[in-house]
């Protein structure tokens, strides 16, 4: 099983550029999450979704947008990239909730904004 | 959402038992406690989840006292490969938001 797949694994952006981080899961999970993790820090929730067509803000949503048109995909859009968005981004999914059951994480996407 | 507090770091030696405590004073009646492990450059991995008393699996045990205001993750006989960051998470019936705390960085020495 592929589980949660994130692409790209690495990306360098220039200030002001935009890009989309892709996240796909093949477990038919309704719940999907985007986190960012700065070096040496914990995870911060950016956005989450409880099903296709439903998204909501997390702790740090500014500068990001998401959509959930299918159960499988939950892309994260960065508009006008800034150095403060340099981070590792993790996508996760869960098959149950609330309360949430086990979260399955992708391998992460390392983004550098210069 | 119940806020969690954990020690920032802990050190141990191979073969020892490690207990990591998490404080969650404002946990609600229907909330569950979940623990995750994260290795460098990887996403967190689920370890264990519990509601009260004791839960044990092949990796760890989770102890939750009657008042449920704290919980303790117990790792028996740690090895070097247990060096990681451990996160305590409170999950709730009332929200789908999953907020991670700062975690506890465990370093295991030979």
């Amino acid at each position: 099983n592929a589980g949660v797949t994130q692409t790209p694994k690495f990306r360098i952006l220039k200030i002001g550029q935009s890009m989309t981080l892709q996240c796909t899961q093949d477990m038919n999970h309704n719940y999907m999450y985007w986190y960012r993790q700065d070096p040496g820090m914990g995870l911060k929730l950016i956005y989450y979704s409880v099903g296709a067509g439903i998204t909501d803000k997390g702790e740090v949503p500014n500068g990001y947008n998401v959509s959930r048109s299918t159960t499988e995909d939950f892309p994260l859009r960065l508009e006008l990239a800034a150095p403060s968005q340099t981070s590792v981004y993790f996508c996760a999914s869960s098959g149950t909730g609330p309360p949430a059951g086990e979260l399955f994480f992708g391998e992460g996407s390392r983004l550098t904004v210069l | 959402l119940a806020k969690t507090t954990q020690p920032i770091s802990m050190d141990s030696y191979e073969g020892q038992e490690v207990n990591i405590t998490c404080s969650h004073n404002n946990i609600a009646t229907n909330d569950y406690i979940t623990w995750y492990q994260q290795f460098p450059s990887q996403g967190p991995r689920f370890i264990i989840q519990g509601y009260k008393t004791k839960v044990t699996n092949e990796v760890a045990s989770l102890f939750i006292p009657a008042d449920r205001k704290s919980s303790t993750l117990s790792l028996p006989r740690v090895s070097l490969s247990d060096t990681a960051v451990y996160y305590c998470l409170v999950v709730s019936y009332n929200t789908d938001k999953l907020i991670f705390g700062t975690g506890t960085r465990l370093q295991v020495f030979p």
Side-chain angles (χ1 to χ4, degrees):
Chain A
N1 286 340
V4 178
T5 302
Q6 293 183 234
T7 56
K9 286 186 170 49
F10 301 94
R11 182 72 186 268
I12 298 175
L13 279 182
K14 293 183 179 179
I15 294 172
Q17 287 186 320
S18 301
M19 75 160 299
T20 299
L21 299 178
Q22 301 291 345
C23 176
T24 299
Q25 52 91 9
D26 63 358
M27 298 172 283
N28 200 32
H29 284 173
N30 284 326
Y31 295 81
M32 296 189 74
Y33 303 82
W34 273 107
Y35 292 91
R36 60 174 286 175
Q37 186 172 38
D38 297 338
M41 306 297 284
L43 294 97
K44 292 290 187 184
L45 179 64
I46 306 172
Y47 272 95
Y48 65 101
S49 169
V50 302
I54 306 170
T55 63
D56 208 345
K57 296 177 180 178
E59 302 173 272
V60 290
N62 291 344
Y64 307 94
N65 279 300
V66 293
S67 59
R68 185 93 182 272
S69 57
T70 67
T71 298
E72 296 78 19
D73 300 310
F74 191 39
L76 177 71
R77 177 84 177 161
L78 281 74
E79 305 284 359
L80 299 174
S84 61
Q85 293 178 303
T86 293
S87 192
V88 179
Y89 292 83
F90 289 102
C91 179
S93 73
S94 174
T96 61
E102 179 176 352
L103 275 176
F104 294 84
F105 281 82
E107 294 183 349
S109 297
R110 186 175 299 272
L111 175 67
T112 301
V113 182
L114 300 174
Chain B
L1 286 172
K3 180 177 169 58
T4 59
T5 303
Q6 303 175 233
I8 294 174
S9 63
M10 295 180 68
D11 292 335
S12 183
Y13 292 92
E14 282 191 296
Q16 289 188 333
E17 178 184 76
V18 171
N19 295 310
I20 305 174
T21 298
C22 178
S23 172
H24 27 79
N25 289 321
N26 58 338
I27 191 168
T29 302
N30 292 330
D31 290 350
Y32 282 71
I33 299 110
T34 310
W35 285 81
Y36 285 83
Q37 175 191 56
Q38 186 181 26
F39 297 116
S41 302
Q42 294 185 24
R45 182 175 70 105
F46 175 90
I47 301 175
I48 198 166
Q49 184 177 67
Y51 179 76
K52 63 179 179 181
T53 62
K54 177 183 176 181
V55 180
T56 297
N57 61 23
E58 65 277 6
V59 176
S61 294
L62 177 59
F63 298 92
I64 305 168
D67 67 6
R68 304 201 326 123
K69 293 184 183 299
S70 66
S71 59
T72 299
L73 175 73
S74 181
L75 304 173
R77 298 179 299 282
V78 294
S79 64
L80 295 176
S81 62
D82 292 314
T83 293
V85 178
Y86 293 82
Y87 293 96
C88 164
L89 199 66
V90 173
V91 297
S92 172
Y93 273 105
N94 299 321
T95 179
D96 297 304
K97 277 187 180 180
L98 297 179
I99 306 297
F100 282 79
T102 53
T104 298
R105 190 173 302 273
L106 173 65
Q107 180 69 53
V108 180
F109 294 97

